Amino acid sequence: MEDLFTGDIFSASLEKINETDVETTSRIANGPATVFNLPRIDLIFGIPSPNIYDYYVSGGFTSSSIIIKKDAIFCSTFWLVWAKFGIIGLLLYLSVYIKLVSKSRAIIPFIIMLFASMFFQGIAIGSSGFAFQMIFLYNFINNSNSSQNFSTIQ
């Protein structure tokens, strides 16, 4: 577990976060600007469009602080899930991770890192990144539970 915070991957990720210019990075800046400009009903149930850009073009919200690049509005995972599926969908999305913690407390450092990364990355439900996270987390839990069961048998 200690290798998680001292490894090359963690230090490279931390370096990228430190070097990211928040003011010019649309993925970080667009999230709050998008969600906090939604009508209340859409905050609760999500936008009635397939993506945020279509919602913007249809006049769903207007904000001069939203950065549009190549006919798209990029948001990080947390804000994207909230905008597309509302607070109800966001809670369901986060409950997947919380349920994993209830199965194995050993996974808490990984979940904390994933929660933090949700504010910097754009990994949506159904994407290969989300599938990789789930495969890794479930395998980790199965292996930790198997090793615990094996140690109690001996």
Side-chain angles (χ1 to χ4, degrees):
M1 193 62 66
E2 292 176 18
D3 293 335
L4 177 66
F5 295 110
T6 58
D8 291 335
I9 294 173
F10 180 75
S11 59
S13 300
L14 189 60
E15 183 178 326
K16 182 175 181 176
I17 290 170
N18 287 332
E19 292 177 0
T20 301
D21 183 13
V22 176
E23 293 173 354
T24 59
T25 303
S26 64
R27 189 173 303 281
I28 295 171
N30 277 345
T34 301
V35 169
F36 295 127
N37 282 301
L38 292 174
R40 284 191 181 141
I41 192 78
D42 293 339
L43 276 173
I44 297 169
F45 297 108
I47 59 174
S49 296
N51 58 53
I52 295 173
Y53 182 74
D54 288 346
Y55 186 75
Y56 176 79
V57 170
S58 70
F61 57 79
T62 55
S63 174
S64 60
S65 60
I66 295 174
I67 302 167
I68 300 171
K69 292 184 178 179
K70 299 178 184 175
D71 293 334
I73 298 174
F74 297 100
C75 291
S76 62
T77 303
F78 179 84
W79 301 107
L80 181 65
V81 171
W82 190 351
K84 286 179 75 173
F85 305 109
I87 192 72
I88 295 170
L90 178 64
L91 293 174
L92 289 171
Y93 179 77
L94 295 176
S95 72
V96 171
Y97 294 98
I98 294 167
K99 192 170 190 174
L100 292 172
V101 170
S102 70
K103 291 181 183 273
S104 173
R105 298 245 182 234
I107 205 156
I108 290 175
F110 296 109
I111 298 294
I112 290 171
M113 285 183 52
L114 288 175
F115 277 171
S117 73
M118 284 181 194
F119 290 95
F120 299 101
Q121 299 178 23
I123 296 177
I125 298 170
S127 69
S128 60
F130 180 76
F132 177 77
Q133 287 178 1
M134 290 298 112
I135 290 168
F136 174 79
L137 293 171
Y138 277 102
N139 281 330
F140 180 87
I141 289 171
N142 286 337
N143 288 336
S144 71
N145 288 342
S146 296
S147 65
Q148 287 176 355
N149 291 339
F150 182 72
S151 63
T152 57
I153 293 172
Q154 293 179 355

